[in-house]
Amino acid sequence: DEAARHLRRLGRRVGARQRRFSKGSGLGALSGREREIADRVALGATNRQIADELFLSTKTVEGHLTHTFQKLDVSSRDDLGRALTS
């Protein structure tokens, strides 16, 4: 994961991560990318900042956050941060 992030920072395309499909609930239900984005939100990053850092569009970040909010049953960025720390 760290090597892929480094390559993305350098502007290189990296193959899609292997998706983790989980029927669990809570944090275990999040994909790797959803967790990565959620962690950045918890640190106070904006969608634009996350998109730029991960070489994604803001729409993609918004989509991941929509799924994350649904999976964790939260409705705000503050609630998301609390869900990650509990």
Side-chain angles (χ1 to χ4, degrees):
D1 286 342
E2 187 173 332
R5 278 193 294 274
H6 182 66
L7 288 170
R8 285 187 189 99
R9 280 189 209 109
L10 295 173
R12 299 283 311 266
R13 288 187 66 94
V14 178
R17 290 181 168 180
Q18 190 173 29
R19 293 184 182 196
R20 179 179 67 182
F21 294 100
S22 172
K23 293 188 182 199
S25 61
L27 296 177
L30 299 180
S31 70
R33 181 63 91 185
E34 289 166 346
R35 181 60 195 250
E36 189 174 19
I37 290 170
D39 288 340
R40 283 173 168 75
V41 167
L43 293 172
T46 66
N47 290 0
R48 169 53 46 208
Q49 290 168 330
I50 295 167
D52 289 346
E53 189 173 321
L54 299 178
F55 299 98
L56 301 171
S57 73
T58 55
K59 286 291 187 186
T60 300
V61 172
E62 290 169 8
H64 283 303
L65 284 174
T66 296
H67 295 136
T68 301
F69 279 31
Q70 291 170 347
K71 289 178 180 181
L72 298 180
D73 194 28
V74 298
S75 59
S76 73
R77 294 169 87 89
D78 289 335
D79 291 343
L80 177 58
R82 283 189 285 279
L84 292 176
T85 60
S86 59

